[in-house]
Amino acid sequence: MKGKPNIKLRFNSLTTIIYILGIILLLQLFNLQIIHGEEYREQSNTRLTRESTDVAARGSILDRNGNEIVGNGMGFSLELYKSKNDNQTLNTTILTMIEVLEKNGDSYKDSFPIRLDEDGNLYFDFDTDEKAINWKKKMKLNESYTPEQCMQALKEKYEIQYEDINQIRKILAIRYQILQDGYSTTKSITIANSISRESALEFNERSESFPGISVSVEPTRQYSSDNLASHVVGTIGKISEVKEGYNTNDYIGKTGIEYLFEKYLKGQDGTKQIDMSVDGTNTEEYVTQDAVEGSDVVLTIDANLQKVTEEALANNIKKINSGGFGKKYSTNSGAAIVMNVKTGEVLSMASYPDFNPQDFVGGISAENWEKYNTEDTPQVNKTMQTAYAPGSIFKMVTAIAGLESGAISTKETINDTGVYPKYTNPKCWIYTDYHRGHGRLNVSGAIQHSCNYFFYETADRMGIDTLAKYAKYFGLGTKTGIELPNETSGTLASKETKENLYHEKWYAGETLSAAIGQSYNSFSLVQIAKYISMLANGGNKIQPTIVEKIINSDGTEVPKEEIQNLINEKAGIKQEDQEEISISQENLKAVLQGMESVTDDQGGTAYSIFKNFAISVGGKTGSAETSTGKVNAWFVGFAPFEDPQIAVVVLVENGGHGYYTAEAVKEIIEQYFGMNIEQVQEDVSSIPYTESFR
């Protein structure tokens, strides 16, 4: 019985507490709904929250020393969200916004197809009447309407009260974009990219005058070195087809490193939350998920050497054009590459003419597109996307194949009488009336004097199969797998190539043409650089590469195997089993001595360029006539001769003579070895030597 009073007391206490809490809750509800109800309802009705993308900065592209070639700046983008304003308020906002942009020299997106000519007349911006009719159908306009009638109908539809035709069209340009892209209180459309700081400040300071308009600060691509290595780094552009991880306003790599390593460079976007009033005025902004910057791509290129290579190539082309070597040749295209002979690392890669990747950011203008869309193909990387007949620079392959197969020896001499006495009786000096031969030459002398006769005989003895086998070992006619898109495989003269191309059998006489770098032989500069590097390094295989490493934002590196798998997948490269060849060092020495005499002996085809040069150079000139009758000029070389470090290859389309291009190679070598000597221009105009197919 004693326990009952205690139970009753606890029950009463609990009941009292519940009543007190209930009274407090009722008082609070009364306060919220009655006393302050109107105030809180007003605040609730005038506040919206939306989630926006916090764009991640793209990774940088750096040279081997950490110098930035491509990076990021901060830019301002203008966005428009839907707000609870009527048509008239929206139209006024649009017009005022455009006035601010135009005042500060900023452009905005305008795809509205009714335009004004210089006299103020309206016209449809379509190339066919059918497209104009289809557009009117889509816009639910009468198919017979003139541009003026279409404008009037749209003016009435959107309740535009302005009468000035320019103002009406500006408003319709934005209204049309809204119609095309769609927007809401949480999804914006981008009106303009990379607007000026003056415009951004004015929009922010007068935000109450621009309901629904938001200025976002985003990273923008900056090609800080202008045209430097433009074909290597590539371009970005507006995404054309939205895929996972992207939205309609994103930019994506289109060419070069920017394209090939997009998955690493892009980074991971974050999110931010923006509070705004119901009329579209921003009230607060804060990050809810941090963006992760893209990975940095470190190239094997040296920016200083790259700059000198580009300048040397451009100057060489201009000099040939002006007749600086004696005879004028009309040329405006060429390429050059420098490779580490031991590692295959590309230290510089130049293609002329070039372009400025910055011109493509935000969309290329019609003026720039016309400038770049020429027969000289400035956007094509001529070092690895184009293949050229090698001419006489191929002769070292023929020499190695002949020596290794036993068709010739280092001590044997062949008597060049001027005209080879077999097949079609080809002359040693092709496309000239010169019939005198070089006399007796060994393999070194044949390379020094670029004697076609010697290599005709060598090739005839060993046959095309042996020649093709050694050419393939040096990487000719096969994609190298360098980390750049659209690499050409070129073609290698062989029985298989002719069968695949023309379904015809190979004739023995064709081997003569192949031996001097003609026939079906056509290679890229990257392949040629690999070939010369292998000659210089003792015949050892190397893998050309232009990417040293990829560094993630957390400091870790992407595994090399992962990078190579990406290249193989995108380039369609399949690993093929290839016969290993061990080249006799004695045979190789004889070939290299011939290359040294090209630059060091008075009878060498490039002696006039390299005489008295402080560094010994092994080299070879080449001139190859194309199907159009133009003669492409080559020079390949390596230095120093005693302990080779770099291979240099220069090609000038329609450059006339191989030794013309040797001057550019000389300048590049000087830069690499830091010689910093004064350039002395030598007069070679009086040299009577003319090379054809050498």
Side-chain angles (χ1 to χ4, degrees):
M1 298 295 293
K2 289 182 179 180
K4 290 182 178 180
N6 289 335
I7 294 173
K8 186 175 182 180
L9 178 61
R10 287 196 296 271
F11 177 77
N12 291 337
S13 298
L14 182 60
T15 302
T16 302
I17 291 172
I18 292 172
Y19 275 117
I20 292 171
L21 291 174
I23 292 170
I24 293 172
L25 181 59
L26 289 171
L27 289 173
Q28 185 63 19
L29 288 172
F30 181 81
N31 178 61
L32 291 173
Q33 295 187 16
I34 306 302
I35 299 176
H36 296 289
E38 185 176 350
E39 176 186 348
Y40 290 144
R41 277 193 297 273
E42 183 178 352
Q43 290 182 14
S44 175
N45 288 334
T46 57
R47 173 178 286 179
L48 293 172
T49 299
R50 68 172 182 265
E51 196 174 77
S52 179
T53 300
D54 186 15
V55 179
R58 285 178 74 83
S60 298
I61 301 176
L62 313 171
D63 85 336
R64 65 187 301 112
N65 301 310
N67 298 310
E68 186 178 88
I69 300 176
V70 185
N72 299 290
M74 296 309 294
F76 303 100
S77 294
L78 191 63
E79 300 173 344
L80 178 63
Y81 290 85
K82 188 174 184 179
S83 59
K84 293 184 178 180
N85 290 315
D86 57 25
N87 272 327
Q88 294 179 17
T89 303
L90 177 57
N91 293 336
T92 301
T93 301
I94 289 172
L95 188 58
T96 308
M97 172 192 71
I98 290 176
E99 288 173 351
V100 171
L101 292 172
E102 291 180 340
K103 177 180 66 176
N104 295 310
D106 296 322
S107 59
Y108 57 92
K109 296 181 179 180
D110 182 358
S111 59
F112 187 55
I114 300 178
R115 300 190 176 275
L116 282 163
D117 62 20
E118 294 180 355
D119 298 323
N121 300 313
L122 294 169
Y123 67 95
F124 287 123
D125 190 18
F126 295 109
D127 52 12
T128 65
D129 292 338
E130 183 181 359
K131 290 181 180 179
I133 291 172
N134 290 335
W135 178 80
K136 283 183 268 189
K137 286 180 181 179
K138 184 178 178 181
M139 296 296 291
K140 298 180 180 179
L141 297 169
N142 191 303
E143 294 179 24
S144 64
Y145 273 6
T146 64
E148 290 78 10
Q149 290 172 320
C150 289
M151 287 280 281
Q152 182 60 36
L154 293 173
K155 176 178 180 290
E156 293 173 1
K157 175 181 178 180
Y158 292 117
E159 300 179 11
I160 299 174
Q161 296 184 342
Y162 298 92
E163 297 301 328
D164 183 275
I165 192 65
N166 282 287
Q167 293 178 324
I168 295 171
R169 198 205 165 278
K170 289 174 183 177
I171 294 170
L172 287 176
I174 305 302
R175 299 298 296 248
Y176 183 66
Q177 188 186 346
I178 292 171
L179 181 66
Q180 293 293 103
D181 298 343
Y183 76 152
S184 67
T185 56
T186 58
K187 177 183 178 293
S188 68
I189 59 170
T190 300
I191 302 297
N193 295 110
S194 303
I195 65 173
S196 63
R197 182 174 294 274
E198 290 77 13
S199 292
L201 288 173
E202 186 163 352
F203 287 126
N204 283 330
E205 291 173 356
R206 297 173 52 200
S207 60
E208 70 283 350
S209 301
F210 299 102
I213 288 180
S214 175
V215 175
S216 63
V217 181
E218 296 179 351
T220 58
R221 208 57 167 158
Q222 295 290 329
Y223 295 85
S224 50
S225 300
D226 296 326
N227 294 33
L228 188 75
S230 56
H231 296 90
V232 176
V233 298
T235 61
I236 65 169
K238 192 75 175 291
I239 191 168
S240 55
E241 184 178 342
V242 180
K243 54 185 178 179
E244 186 178 354
Y246 294 83
N247 62 57
T248 55
N249 294 322
D250 277 342
Y251 287 84
I252 192 170
K254 296 289 187 178
T255 64
I257 294 293
E258 293 274 31
Y259 162 77
L260 199 59
F261 293 101
E262 169 68 22
K263 66 175 287 187
Y264 298 108
L265 288 165
K266 181 186 184 302
Q268 184 177 339
D269 293 341
T271 55
K272 57 186 176 183
Q273 189 165 304
I274 301 172
D275 292 340
M276 60 185 293
S277 62
V278 73
D279 66 358
T281 303
N282 290 350
T283 58
E284 190 176 0
E285 180 178 316
Y286 45 93
V287 174
T288 56
Q289 180 180 338
D290 290 328
V292 179
E293 291 186 6
S295 305
D296 292 341
V297 177
V298 182
L299 305 177
T300 59
I301 280 176
D302 179 287
N304 292 327
L305 184 63
Q306 177 72 25
K307 183 174 185 292
V308 169
T309 301
E310 292 180 5
E311 290 175 349
L313 176 63
N315 291 337
N316 191 243
I317 290 172
K318 292 172 184 175
K319 185 172 180 178
I320 292 172
N321 246 323
S322 65
F325 292 99
K327 181 179 178 180
K328 289 184 180 182
Y329 287 87
S330 178
T331 176
N332 194 45
S333 298
I337 188 169
V338 181
M339 183 177 287
N340 183 313
V341 302
K342 297 174 182 177
T343 66
E345 292 177 327
V346 173
L347 305 177
S348 65
M349 175 183 277
S351 182
Y352 185 89
D354 57 13
F355 60 92
N356 190 338
Q358 199 70 49
D359 291 338
F360 293 81
V361 178
I364 188 169
S365 67
E367 180 182 358
N368 281 330
W369 177 250
E370 185 177 351
K371 179 175 67 175
Y372 294 141
N373 191 25
T374 68
E375 63 179 9
D376 297 317
T377 57
Q379 296 179 73
V380 173
N381 186 343
K382 297 175 178 63
T383 65
M384 44 77 63
Q385 293 177 342
T386 306
Y388 300 90
S392 289
I393 62 171
F394 183 79
K395 289 175 179 174
M396 287 81 77
V397 175
T398 307
I400 290 291
L403 291 166
E404 289 292 307
S405 65
I408 58 173
S409 70
T410 57
K411 294 183 172 57
E412 180 183 4
T413 61
I414 294 175
N415 185 28
D416 171 16
T417 60
V419 179
Y420 191 67
K422 295 179 70 174
Y423 308 112
T424 58
N425 304 116
K427 294 179 293 184
C428 185
W429 299 85
I430 300 177
Y431 298 114
T432 70
D433 293 327
Y434 192 69
H435 291 273
R436 182 183 300 176
H438 291 97
R440 287 201 168 273
L441 295 172
N442 62 13
V443 67
S444 299
I447 291 172
Q448 176 187 358
H449 296 286
S450 202
C451 176
N452 285 336
Y453 188 108
F454 184 98
F455 294 103
Y456 291 154
E457 176 62 20
T458 301
D460 191 48
R461 292 180 186 180
M462 65 180 167
I464 188 61
D465 291 339
T466 300
L467 181 59
K469 168 186 169 182
Y470 282 89
K472 190 172 183 180
Y473 174 75
F474 283 105
L476 299 173
T478 305
K479 288 183 179 180
T480 65
I482 194 167
E483 305 94 333
L484 287 169
N486 304 319
E487 180 185 9
T488 180
S489 60
T491 55
L492 174 63
S494 67
K495 293 177 181 176
E496 293 76 16
T497 297
K498 187 177 182 184
E499 173 64 28
N500 292 336
L501 289 176
Y502 300 105
H503 306 291
E504 297 176 357
K505 88 180 266 193
W506 184 271
Y507 293 100
E510 294 179 276
T511 307
L512 307 190
S513 180
I516 61 170
Q518 299 296 321
S519 180
Y520 303 103
N521 286 321
S522 182
F523 313 128
S524 71
L525 268 74
V526 174
Q527 292 172 8
I528 296 295
K530 176 182 179 179
Y531 147 54
I532 300 302
S533 293
M534 288 177 63
L535 287 176
N537 72 17
N540 300 311
K541 281 186 177 181
I542 55 172
Q543 171 60 54
T545 179
I546 202 165
V547 173
E548 182 177 298
K549 56 188 172 183
I550 299 177
I551 306 174
N552 297 320
S553 59
D554 61 2
T556 60
E557 290 187 18
V558 176
K560 283 281 187 181
E561 183 180 0
E562 182 178 327
I563 297 173
Q564 193 57 55
N565 288 339
L566 174 69
I567 304 304
N568 292 344
E569 179 185 347
K570 289 206 169 187
I573 295 175
K574 296 180 180 179
Q575 299 299 326
E576 297 180 2
D577 293 332
Q578 186 178 356
E579 179 184 351
E580 289 295 327
I581 298 176
S582 179
I583 297 175
S584 161
Q585 295 303 298
E586 180 185 355
N587 290 337
L588 189 59
K589 181 180 179 181
V591 171
L592 297 182
Q593 283 177 341
M595 295 181 71
E596 182 184 31
S597 63
V598 167
T599 64
D600 197 49
D601 289 355
Q602 193 163 359
T605 54
Y607 173 73
S608 62
I609 301 295
F610 287 98
K611 67 179 181 180
N612 302 322
F613 193 48
I615 292 178
S616 56
V617 176
K620 183 71 186 77
T621 56
S623 305
E625 186 165 350
T626 68
S627 59
T628 62
K630 295 181 178 180
V631 180
N632 293 336
W634 290 91
F635 188 87
V636 298
F638 62 89
F641 181 81
E642 300 80 7
D643 181 21
Q645 295 182 36
I646 60 170
V648 186
V649 178
V650 173
L651 164 90
V652 175
E653 294 183 15
N654 198 39
H657 301 291
Y659 76 89
Y660 287 1
T661 57
E663 188 171 276
V665 174
K666 181 181 176 184
E667 291 179 31
I668 293 167
I669 292 174
E670 286 173 342
Q671 170 63 26
Y672 179 82
F673 291 103
M675 296 171 66
N676 296 319
I677 63 174
E678 182 180 354
Q679 297 293 314
V680 179
Q681 180 59 55
E682 297 176 359
D683 181 14
V684 298
S685 60
S686 61
I687 297 175
Y689 173 80
T690 298
E691 180 188 21
S692 182
F693 274 116
R694 301 198 184 285

